[in-house]
Amino acid sequence: QVHLVESGGGSVEPGNSLSLRCAASGRPLSIFAVSWFRQAPGTEREFVAYIIRSGGNIYVSDSVKGRFSISSDNARNTYYLQMTSLKPEDTAVYYCAATDTYGYWHSSSTKEEGYRYWGQGTQVTVSS
């Protein structure tokens, strides 16, 4: 079992930055890959970024490419989403998700079904 806890959300003005943190516990070494998703009110959950725990492959959604980046600190079992040049349309609840099934980029890697474990989410609000 893996337990994920997100933190770092908040309210910022457009153009500012935030860094989200996802701390894994329980059996963190069983994780093969972690992704960040987000969900704005009235919309479906949207894939944002993906990283393989062992290092290497990283994928970032076109909607945030060039502004968001994903990283990991394996020694601390922690995953990060660095967000810069934030826009009002980035407002959403951000979730981290982990899979202990797929250790490679997969057709389900951008879908909720590809992840067994989810955090509770952290709110990001971008508004002037």
Side-chain angles (χ1 to χ4, degrees), residues 1-4 23-34 52-55 72-79 98-103 117:
Q1 191 75 9
V2 173
H3 186 53
L4 304 173
S25 61
R27 297 184 61 194
L29 299 185
S30 68
I31 294 173
F32 287 146
V34 167
I52 291 181
R53 186 180 67 81
S54 61
S72 65
D73 182 341
N74 289 343
R76 292 179 169 79
N77 296 315
T78 302
Y79 303 84
T99 175
D100 57 0
T101 303
Y102 300 113
Y117 306 106

Side-chain angles (χ1 to χ4, degrees), residues 9-95:
S11 296
V12 297
E13 294 185 348
N16 283 349
S17 301
L18 277 176
S19 182
L20 304 184
R21 178 177 179 267
C22 174
S25 61
R27 297 184 61 194
L29 299 185
S30 68
I31 294 173
F32 287 146
V34 167
S35 280
W36 286 93
F37 286 75
R38 67 184 181 182
Q39 188 168 23
T43 70
E44 294 185 353
R45 200 165 291 188
E46 174 193 12
F47 167 79
V48 176
Y50 164 102
I51 187 168
I52 291 181
R53 186 180 67 81
S54 61
N57 290 5
I58 288 176
Y59 295 91
V60 179
S61 169
D62 287 343
S63 64
V64 301
K65 194 169 292 182
R67 299 189 298 120
F68 290 14
S69 61
I70 187 171
S71 61
S72 65
D73 182 341
N74 289 343
R76 292 179 169 79
N77 296 315
T78 302
Y79 303 84
Y80 302 94
L81 183 69
Q82 293 89 24
M83 307 185 294
T84 65
S85 302
L86 282 161
K87 305 175 181 180
E89 51 263 43
D90 295 319
T91 295
V93 178
Y94 284 72
Y95 300 89

